[in-house]
Amino acid sequence: MTVIAQGYNGFETKKAPEGTVLYLPNPQSVLTLLRSGKLKEHILLVQGGTTTFLSPALSMGAIGVITLSGAPELHLGILSREFQMPCVMTAHLLDSDSRYVTGGNNDAHFQSFISRLEGKKVRLDCSDADVAKVIEIA
C-alpha cells in the first residue's frame, strides 16, 4: 500500500473507508450513481469543496470524499463532519509538483489527478488532525 495523495483533513477520525474512486463532475453523475445502488463501493471524487450537488449522496451514506479544491470550512468539509464521513480536501498527488492555485487555471491539475485516481481502489486515512491521506491498495 502506498500513499499517493494527501490534502487537508475535513475532520479527524479513525474511520478508514476503502472503495473505488469515482469522479462525479455534475448532478447527473450523482443521480446515476444513486440509482445504481453502488454508492457504498466508491470513494467520491469532486472538483470543489463547495460542490452542493453531492448532498444527496452524503445523506444516503457515502463512505468518503476527495475534493480537488476547498478547505474544511467549506460546504463539503462541514457536511463531512455532520455525516462523520472522511473527507480529503484540496488533494494533490505526492509524485507531482502540481498544486491547486486559488483563482488560477487549474484544469491541467484537476485532469492529472482525475486520470491518476479514477477507478483505483483506495483507502482514506483521516487520523491526523491536519493532513489526510489517500492510500492506493492493490
Side-chain angles (χ1 to χ4, degrees):
M1 292 185 280
T2 305
V3 177
I4 56 173
Q6 68 182 30
Y8 301 121
N9 192 357
F11 74 103
E12 186 177 348
T13 181
K14 292 183 186 212
K15 289 181 181 179
E18 293 183 4
T20 303
V21 176
L22 180 64
Y23 178 57
L24 300 172
N26 54 45
Q28 185 58 43
S29 63
V30 173
L31 295 175
T32 299
L33 173 60
L34 294 178
R35 285 189 209 113
S36 77
K38 297 181 179 185
L39 175 64
K40 294 185 188 266
E41 296 175 18
H42 295 284
I43 302 296
L44 310 179
L45 175 60
V46 295
Q47 190 165 309
T50 58
T51 305
T52 57
F53 63 74
L54 193 59
S55 295
L58 303 181
S59 67
M60 293 181 75
I63 61 171
V65 172
I66 302 168
T67 75
L68 299 176
S69 64
E73 298 80 18
L74 296 176
H75 179 71
L76 286 178
I78 294 166
L79 290 179
S80 74
R81 290 187 291 281
E82 282 187 27
F83 288 103
Q84 293 295 291
M85 177 203 59
C87 184
V88 181
M89 304 192 76
T90 310
H92 62 275
L93 298 169
L94 294 180
D95 63 359
S96 170
D97 292 333
S98 179
R99 300 290 187 269
Y100 173 76
V101 177
T102 303
N105 181 344
N106 292 288
D107 293 344
H109 171 69
F110 292 155
Q111 193 53 50
S112 66
F113 194 97
I114 294 163
S115 295
R116 174 74 167 84
L117 263 73
E118 188 166 33
K120 300 283 187 202
K121 179 104 171 165
V122 301
R123 174 185 303 132
L124 301 185
D125 178 349
C126 296
S127 60
D128 181 84
D130 299 314
V131 177
K133 299 173 185 164
V134 179
I135 302 165
E136 186 173 19
I137 51 182

